[in-house]
Amino acid sequence: MLNSQINQIHSVKNLLPLHKPFVAGDSTTHSSSSAYSPAIFRQATTTKKSNATSTRSTSAGKIKAISIPFLTKATTVKAVITIQPTVTSAIAGVGIGGVADGVSDLLGRSFLLELVSNDLDTNGKLKTVKAYARYEALDFDINVYTYKCDFDVPEDFGEIGAVLVENEYSKKMFFKTIVLNNNVTFTCESWVASKHDNPEKRIFFTDKSYLPSETPEGLKSLREKDMESLRGNGQGERKSYDRIYDYDVYNDLGAPDLSLNLARPVLGGSDHPYPRRCRTGRKMSTKDPLTETRTLLPFYVPSDEDFSEIKEVNFGARALYSVLHAVVPTLDSIVTDKDKGFPLFRTIDMLYDQGVNVPAPDNGLKTVLPRLVKGAVDTAAAVIQFETPETIDRDTFSWFRDEEFCRQMIAGLNPYSIQLVTEWPLTSKLDPEVYGPPESAITKEIIEQEIKGFMTLEQALAEKKLFMLDYHDLLLPYVNKTRELNGTTLYGSRTLMFLTPTGTLRPLAIELTRPPSADKPQWKHVYTPAWDATGAWLWKMAKAQVLSHDSAYHQLVSHWLRTHCVTEPYIIATNRHLSQMHPIRRLLLPHFRYTMQINALARLALINAGGIIESTFSPGKYSMQICADAYDQLWRFDHEALPADLISRGMAVEDPNSPHGVKLTIEDYPFANDGLLLWDAIKQWATSYVNHYYPTANLVESDVELQQWWDEIRTVGHGDKKDEPWWPQLKTQEDLIGIVSTIMWVTSGHHSAVNFGQYDFAGYFPNRPTISRTKMPNEDPTEEEWQSFIKRPEDALLKCFPSQIQATQVMSVLDVLSSHSPDEEYIGGNIEPSWAAEPAIKAAFEEFRGSLDKLEGIIDSRNVDPNLKNRSGAGLVPYQLLKPYSGAGVTGRGVPNSISI
């Protein structure tokens, strides 16, 4: 994954000698046009061509092939292999990397390739021809190395369907494509290990997709063998060159070998149900046999999930790694008092105006984080200076206002929590013997005092005007435990809002609850917007408490759990059970790239014991247990599609007469308005794709790979929920369309909505504090505490906010998480080669792309519509998080295909 050289930038010119190495035999070169001219490839008899697309290539000097003896006439098939350079020196062994690799070059034995026919021979065995490839040149235009070889292919060989590859070098190599001059293309995009590390030949199939039942006879055994090679046997520690996808529980978040205070429970299993992660096989802890040991190096991911050395899109991962391993420790080292807060709001503003002086980092860090690490003050120092978030840049006081507090619940960073109030009175479902009386302290009288002049409580319920953020039952079991930790506090909370006639939300009440403990009874209090000084400040502090709850829920549940975490089992099952040539694998693959690597980095330094989440969010060491509780109590696959999610929260009802099949409860709900358009486009694309490959329902039910894939997702990857009745069946095209559309939405639209606005909305932490460090001033105060609040309420609010080190660490991480990489792969952007190879699929994709282009314009027009007051108004940041495309950096828009950061 990310290694110690991530910040070293190497010129591609330095990776290989620019001259062409000595080539034995014919040294004649041909231009691309002559190499592909019909005269060269014209044959006496017609040969059957693949349906795969043709890709530009160049010819090579002839290399003697190792092939089976032919009694029939043979024709020469030329191949061009493209290899992706790395961004570090790890691949420098090609051509110049030691004696062994140099000898391979000189002998023309860089890679051994073996073409495989779709047909078996008369004895029922594979028909193959072999040839060695050798290094040809470095193509500066597209930054790839080219290798070439010639095959003597008999005329009765049949259609070519696969190629076997053996890497003769001592280093793994990233194969991009293998292109034959007869319109056959193998899109590899995969690491091939050295034969010295893995003697098994790699198998690649052409760009033509086949259902299992349609697999040509000559490819059936290779299809199964390739998948078997990815499953492993569940034994041993994984090596960096492995491609094994297997499951394990989250037993590597704790570090008991370092300190028993860093021990954490295993997530996954009956005690703490949770999705599964990729197995690494590291040895178990000596202090806790249930916990896997941790390393300082990045955790294992299958080699094809490791893009750190070959893709600029991994800029985000490299930047995040740099923040976690350089910026955060630097900030920590200069703050002597870890509990010190900000004495004045002016000192918060200085983070953006002047920055923080720190010891000068190396130049590599400045290169990776130019937004964050500014020019050196002198040779011994630099400045970490934060950009002003757009919300504050447009309106300095937006964070202070009640209407903005509510608006961000439907047009902000976490639009996934707000729900319709459908029952009254509000009642907890927790055990009253443990947590006290279940009835809410928010009464009818309190609500009607706030909405008088509009309607009664009964009318508000009937007309669907009351909404709520409900973190009461999820957080209450952790309140007393969290309060035993230093520097934090917690409540169970409910926040009620009213939908006004103008379509905006108005806050009505906040209820904060502390359960009974050994020495204290249950405490609960209701805060409302007030018109006296004391009440107004208590209201502001209650909002800060709720925002810290919402921040934790957003990061742990809406973001990590519901996108990153639940997707990893989908990726593992796809690689274990859907062949390279399976059309559903090829549909989903763009939505899975880069995710496992980011998840491994999160386990390394974000969600681990003592990591960023635990040290900067209110629940502290209990954060991931709360995340597991949310999975156990709240997560359902059948509610992850956007329309189903909205319906489950009462934010929409089914309505076949509405444009998206649902009618929104809040008409001006920017996230839902834009998201439903994106959802429709995704589902239509999935519908066209699925119906092309599965024209009848029996093909879905009889697809062995597909059924095993879905079964393993349910019973292993999400095995702690395998007996739930809500799992969709997989029997018809409509079932499959719903499943894949849900996965595609979660990895693209859902993730973008909760990720790429993080800096804009939370980069100024008073707008979304991640932690409340102090209890409410009116909760059992001493006389001294109360008088201190009365005298300087601003000080009480600042003490409640994150400390200086917590705030700057979170801001540094959010800055990187909100950034798009320079070559981000956006939804509807690049067509996959296998899609382009099939005319019907290519046409469907172009239609999908056209829908996304229209969505861009619709969002732009909505953002300037004065009637849409939740997204258009004085000082408001336009809602753009679901605009499909974006430039690089922190832009507050853009929907990548996958969870790439």
Short mmCIF file of all heavy atoms in Angstrom, two decimals, residues 390-423:
data_model
loop_
_atom_site.label_atom_id
_atom_site.label_comp_id
_atom_site.label_asym_id
_atom_site.label_seq_id
_atom_site.Cartn_x
_atom_site.Cartn_y
_atom_site.Cartn_z
N GLU A 390 -15.82 27.45 2.67
CA GLU A 390 -16.72 28.30 1.89
C GLU A 390 -17.92 28.77 2.70
O GLU A 390 -18.40 29.88 2.52
CB GLU A 390 -17.19 27.56 0.63
CG GLU A 390 -17.93 28.47 -0.33
CD GLU A 390 -18.27 27.82 -1.65
OE1 GLU A 390 -17.97 26.62 -1.83
OE2 GLU A 390 -18.86 28.50 -2.51
N THR A 391 -18.41 27.92 3.62
CA THR A 391 -19.57 28.34 4.41
C THR A 391 -19.26 29.61 5.20
O THR A 391 -20.09 30.52 5.29
CB THR A 391 -19.97 27.23 5.40
OG1 THR A 391 -18.81 26.78 6.10
CG2 THR A 391 -20.61 26.07 4.68
N ILE A 392 -18.06 29.69 5.76
CA ILE A 392 -17.69 30.85 6.57
C ILE A 392 -17.23 32.00 5.68
O ILE A 392 -17.41 33.18 6.00
CB ILE A 392 -16.59 30.45 7.57
CG1 ILE A 392 -17.09 29.32 8.47
CG2 ILE A 392 -16.14 31.64 8.42
CD1 ILE A 392 -18.39 29.63 9.21
N ASP A 393 -16.64 31.67 4.55
CA ASP A 393 -16.20 32.69 3.62
C ASP A 393 -17.40 33.48 3.10
O ASP A 393 -17.33 34.70 2.90
CB ASP A 393 -15.46 32.04 2.45
CG ASP A 393 -14.69 33.06 1.61
OD1 ASP A 393 -14.07 33.97 2.22
OD2 ASP A 393 -14.71 32.96 0.38
N ARG A 394 -18.54 32.80 2.91
CA ARG A 394 -19.74 33.46 2.41
C ARG A 394 -20.51 34.17 3.52
O ARG A 394 -21.14 35.20 3.28
CB ARG A 394 -20.67 32.45 1.73
CG ARG A 394 -20.19 32.00 0.35
CD ARG A 394 -21.09 30.90 -0.19
NE ARG A 394 -20.72 30.53 -1.55
CZ ARG A 394 -21.41 30.86 -2.64
NH1 ARG A 394 -22.50 31.60 -2.53
NH2 ARG A 394 -21.01 30.47 -3.84
N ASP A 395 -20.49 33.59 4.72
CA ASP A 395 -21.27 34.16 5.83
C ASP A 395 -20.58 33.79 7.14
O ASP A 395 -20.71 32.67 7.63
CB ASP A 395 -22.70 33.63 5.80
CG ASP A 395 -23.58 34.27 6.87
OD1 ASP A 395 -23.05 34.97 7.75
OD2 ASP A 395 -24.80 34.05 6.84
N THR A 396 -19.87 34.75 7.71
CA THR A 396 -19.08 34.50 8.92
C THR A 396 -19.93 34.00 10.08
O THR A 396 -19.45 33.23 10.92
CB THR A 396 -18.36 35.79 9.34
OG1 THR A 396 -17.60 36.28 8.23
CG2 THR A 396 -17.43 35.55 10.51
N PHE A 397 -21.18 34.40 10.13
CA PHE A 397 -22.03 34.09 11.29
C PHE A 397 -23.05 33.00 11.00
O PHE A 397 -23.96 32.79 11.81
CB PHE A 397 -22.73 35.36 11.77
CG PHE A 397 -21.79 36.47 12.13
CD1 PHE A 397 -21.63 37.57 11.29
CD2 PHE A 397 -21.02 36.41 13.28
CE1 PHE A 397 -20.75 38.59 11.60
CE2 PHE A 397 -20.12 37.42 13.60
CZ PHE A 397 -19.98 38.51 12.76
N SER A 398 -22.91 32.31 9.88
CA SER A 398 -23.92 31.30 9.53
C SER A 398 -24.02 30.22 10.60
O SER A 398 -25.12 29.72 10.90
CB SER A 398 -23.58 30.67 8.18
OG SER A 398 -22.31 30.02 8.23
N TRP A 399 -22.90 29.85 11.21
CA TRP A 399 -22.89 28.77 12.19
C TRP A 399 -23.70 29.11 13.43
O TRP A 399 -24.12 28.21 14.18
CB TRP A 399 -21.45 28.44 12.60
CG TRP A 399 -20.81 29.54 13.41
CD1 TRP A 399 -20.20 30.66 12.95
CD2 TRP A 399 -20.73 29.61 14.83
NE1 TRP A 399 -19.73 31.44 13.98
CE2 TRP A 399 -20.05 30.81 15.15
CE3 TRP A 399 -21.16 28.78 15.88
CZ2 TRP A 399 -19.80 31.19 16.47
CZ3 TRP A 399 -20.91 29.16 17.19
CH2 TRP A 399 -20.24 30.36 17.47
N PHE A 400 -23.97 30.37 13.65
CA PHE A 400 -24.63 30.84 14.87
C PHE A 400 -26.15 30.79 14.74
O PHE A 400 -26.85 30.83 15.74
CB PHE A 400 -24.18 32.28 15.12
CG PHE A 400 -23.98 32.63 16.57
CD1 PHE A 400 -23.08 31.93 17.35
CD2 PHE A 400 -24.69 33.66 17.16
CE1 PHE A 400 -22.88 32.26 18.68
CE2 PHE A 400 -24.51 34.00 18.49
CZ PHE A 400 -23.60 33.29 19.26
N ARG A 401 -26.66 30.69 13.52
CA ARG A 401 -28.09 30.90 13.29
C ARG A 401 -28.89 29.60 13.34
O ARG A 401 -28.45 28.56 12.85
CB ARG A 401 -28.31 31.57 11.93
CG ARG A 401 -27.73 32.97 11.82
CD ARG A 401 -28.41 33.74 10.68
NE ARG A 401 -28.45 32.93 9.47
CZ ARG A 401 -27.48 32.91 8.57
NH1 ARG A 401 -26.40 33.66 8.73
NH2 ARG A 401 -27.60 32.15 7.49
N ASP A 402 -30.08 29.68 13.88
CA ASP A 402 -30.95 28.51 14.02
C ASP A 402 -31.38 27.95 12.68
O ASP A 402 -31.45 26.73 12.50
CB ASP A 402 -32.19 28.86 14.85
CG ASP A 402 -31.88 29.02 16.33
OD1 ASP A 402 -30.73 28.73 16.73
OD2 ASP A 402 -32.78 29.42 17.09
N GLU A 403 -31.71 28.84 11.74
CA GLU A 403 -32.21 28.33 10.47
C GLU A 403 -31.13 27.55 9.71
O GLU A 403 -31.41 26.59 9.00
CB GLU A 403 -32.78 29.45 9.59
CG GLU A 403 -31.78 30.43 9.01
CD GLU A 403 -31.45 31.58 9.94
OE1 GLU A 403 -31.76 31.49 11.14
OE2 GLU A 403 -30.88 32.57 9.44
N GLU A 404 -29.86 27.98 9.87
CA GLU A 404 -28.77 27.26 9.21
C GLU A 404 -28.50 25.93 9.92
O GLU A 404 -28.17 24.94 9.28
CB GLU A 404 -27.50 28.12 9.19
CG GLU A 404 -26.31 27.50 8.48
CD GLU A 404 -26.52 27.27 7.00
OE1 GLU A 404 -27.54 27.73 6.44
OE2 GLU A 404 -25.65 26.63 6.37
N PHE A 405 -28.66 25.92 11.23
CA PHE A 405 -28.56 24.68 12.01
C PHE A 405 -29.51 23.64 11.44
O PHE A 405 -29.13 22.47 11.25
CB PHE A 405 -28.90 25.02 13.47
CG PHE A 405 -29.09 23.84 14.38
CD1 PHE A 405 -28.01 23.10 14.83
CD2 PHE A 405 -30.36 23.48 14.82
CE1 PHE A 405 -28.18 22.03 15.70
CE2 PHE A 405 -30.55 22.42 15.69
CZ PHE A 405 -29.46 21.69 16.13
N CYS A 406 -30.72 24.02 11.12
CA CYS A 406 -31.71 23.09 10.57
C CYS A 406 -31.46 22.81 9.09
O CYS A 406 -31.60 21.67 8.63
CB CYS A 406 -33.12 23.64 10.75
SG CYS A 406 -33.68 23.69 12.46
N ARG A 407 -31.14 23.84 8.32
CA ARG A 407 -30.96 23.68 6.87
C ARG A 407 -29.89 22.64 6.56
O ARG A 407 -30.04 21.86 5.61
CB ARG A 407 -30.60 25.03 6.24
CG ARG A 407 -30.60 25.02 4.71
CD ARG A 407 -30.00 26.30 4.15
NE ARG A 407 -28.55 26.31 4.28
CZ ARG A 407 -27.71 25.78 3.38
NH1 ARG A 407 -28.19 25.20 2.29
NH2 ARG A 407 -26.41 25.83 3.57
N GLN A 408 -28.83 22.62 7.36
CA GLN A 408 -27.75 21.69 7.08
C GLN A 408 -28.15 20.23 7.31
O GLN A 408 -27.45 19.32 6.87
CB GLN A 408 -26.51 22.05 7.89
CG GLN A 408 -25.84 23.32 7.38
CD GLN A 408 -24.54 23.64 8.08
OE1 GLN A 408 -23.93 22.78 8.71
NE2 GLN A 408 -24.10 24.89 7.99
N MET A 409 -29.28 20.00 7.95
CA MET A 409 -29.76 18.63 8.12
C MET A 409 -30.34 18.07 6.83
O MET A 409 -30.49 16.85 6.69
CB MET A 409 -30.79 18.56 9.24
CG MET A 409 -30.21 18.92 10.60
SD MET A 409 -31.45 18.87 11.89
CE MET A 409 -30.57 19.66 13.24
N ILE A 410 -30.67 18.93 5.87
CA ILE A 410 -31.20 18.47 4.60
C ILE A 410 -30.34 18.91 3.42
O ILE A 410 -30.52 18.44 2.30
CB ILE A 410 -32.66 18.95 4.38
CG1 ILE A 410 -32.76 20.47 4.52
CG2 ILE A 410 -33.59 18.27 5.37
CD1 ILE A 410 -34.13 21.02 4.21
N ALA A 411 -29.38 19.81 3.66
CA ALA A 411 -28.52 20.31 2.57
C ALA A 411 -27.09 20.45 3.05
O ALA A 411 -26.34 21.26 2.50
CB ALA A 411 -29.04 21.66 2.06
N GLY A 412 -26.72 19.65 4.04
CA GLY A 412 -25.37 19.76 4.59
C GLY A 412 -24.63 18.44 4.49
O GLY A 412 -24.80 17.67 3.55
N LEU A 413 -23.82 18.19 5.50
CA LEU A 413 -22.90 17.07 5.47
C LEU A 413 -23.55 15.74 5.84
O LEU A 413 -23.10 14.69 5.40
CB LEU A 413 -21.75 17.37 6.44
CG LEU A 413 -20.51 16.48 6.39
CD1 LEU A 413 -19.99 16.35 4.97
CD2 LEU A 413 -19.45 17.06 7.31
N ASN A 414 -24.60 15.78 6.64
CA ASN A 414 -25.26 14.53 7.06
C ASN A 414 -26.76 14.61 6.82
O ASN A 414 -27.53 14.79 7.75
CB ASN A 414 -24.97 14.24 8.54
CG ASN A 414 -25.55 12.90 8.97
OD1 ASN A 414 -25.67 11.98 8.17
ND2 ASN A 414 -25.92 12.79 10.24
N PRO A 415 -27.19 14.46 5.57
CA PRO A 415 -28.63 14.53 5.27
C PRO A 415 -29.34 13.20 5.49
O PRO A 415 -30.48 13.03 5.08
CB PRO A 415 -28.64 14.91 3.79
CG PRO A 415 -27.42 14.24 3.24
CD PRO A 415 -26.38 14.29 4.35
N TYR A 416 -28.64 12.24 6.14
CA TYR A 416 -29.15 10.89 6.29
C TYR A 416 -29.78 10.62 7.66
O TYR A 416 -30.19 9.48 7.92
CB TYR A 416 -28.02 9.88 6.06
CG TYR A 416 -27.86 9.46 4.63
CD1 TYR A 416 -26.87 10.00 3.82
CD2 TYR A 416 -28.72 8.51 4.06
CE1 TYR A 416 -26.72 9.60 2.50
CE2 TYR A 416 -28.58 8.11 2.76
CZ TYR A 416 -27.58 8.66 1.97
OH TYR A 416 -27.44 8.26 0.66
N SER A 417 -29.88 11.60 8.53
CA SER A 417 -30.37 11.33 9.89
C SER A 417 -31.76 11.88 10.16
O SER A 417 -32.50 11.32 10.97
CB SER A 417 -29.39 11.92 10.92
OG SER A 417 -28.24 11.13 11.03
N ILE A 418 -32.13 12.97 9.54
CA ILE A 418 -33.42 13.59 9.82
C ILE A 418 -34.55 12.63 9.49
O ILE A 418 -34.49 11.90 8.50
CB ILE A 418 -33.56 14.92 9.05
CG1 ILE A 418 -34.84 15.65 9.48
CG2 ILE A 418 -33.51 14.70 7.56
CD1 ILE A 418 -34.95 17.05 8.91
N GLN A 419 -35.55 12.58 10.35
CA GLN A 419 -36.69 11.69 10.14
C GLN A 419 -38.00 12.36 10.53
O GLN A 419 -38.01 13.31 11.32
CB GLN A 419 -36.51 10.39 10.93
CG GLN A 419 -36.38 10.60 12.43
CD GLN A 419 -36.12 9.31 13.18
OE1 GLN A 419 -37.05 8.54 13.43
NE2 GLN A 419 -34.86 9.06 13.52
N LEU A 420 -39.07 11.87 9.98
CA LEU A 420 -40.39 12.38 10.29
C LEU A 420 -40.84 11.86 11.65
O LEU A 420 -40.62 10.69 11.98
CB LEU A 420 -41.39 11.93 9.21
CG LEU A 420 -42.84 12.36 9.39
CD1 LEU A 420 -42.99 13.86 9.15
CD2 LEU A 420 -43.75 11.58 8.43
N VAL A 421 -41.47 12.71 12.44
CA VAL A 421 -42.07 12.27 13.71
C VAL A 421 -43.43 11.67 13.38
O VAL A 421 -44.30 12.34 12.82
CB VAL A 421 -42.23 13.44 14.69
CG1 VAL A 421 -42.94 12.97 15.95
CG2 VAL A 421 -40.87 14.03 15.05
N THR A 422 -43.61 10.39 13.70
CA THR A 422 -44.85 9.70 13.37
C THR A 422 -45.63 9.23 14.59
O THR A 422 -46.79 8.83 14.46
CB THR A 422 -44.54 8.46 12.49
OG1 THR A 422 -43.63 7.60 13.19
CG2 THR A 422 -43.92 8.88 11.17
N GLU A 423 -45.01 9.27 15.77
CA GLU A 423 -45.68 8.82 16.99
C GLU A 423 -45.54 9.87 18.08
O GLU A 423 -44.53 10.58 18.14
CB GLU A 423 -45.06 7.49 17.48
CG GLU A 423 -45.22 6.34 16.50
CD GLU A 423 -44.55 5.06 17.01
OE1 GLU A 423 -43.85 5.15 18.05
OE2 GLU A 423 -44.73 4.01 16.38
#
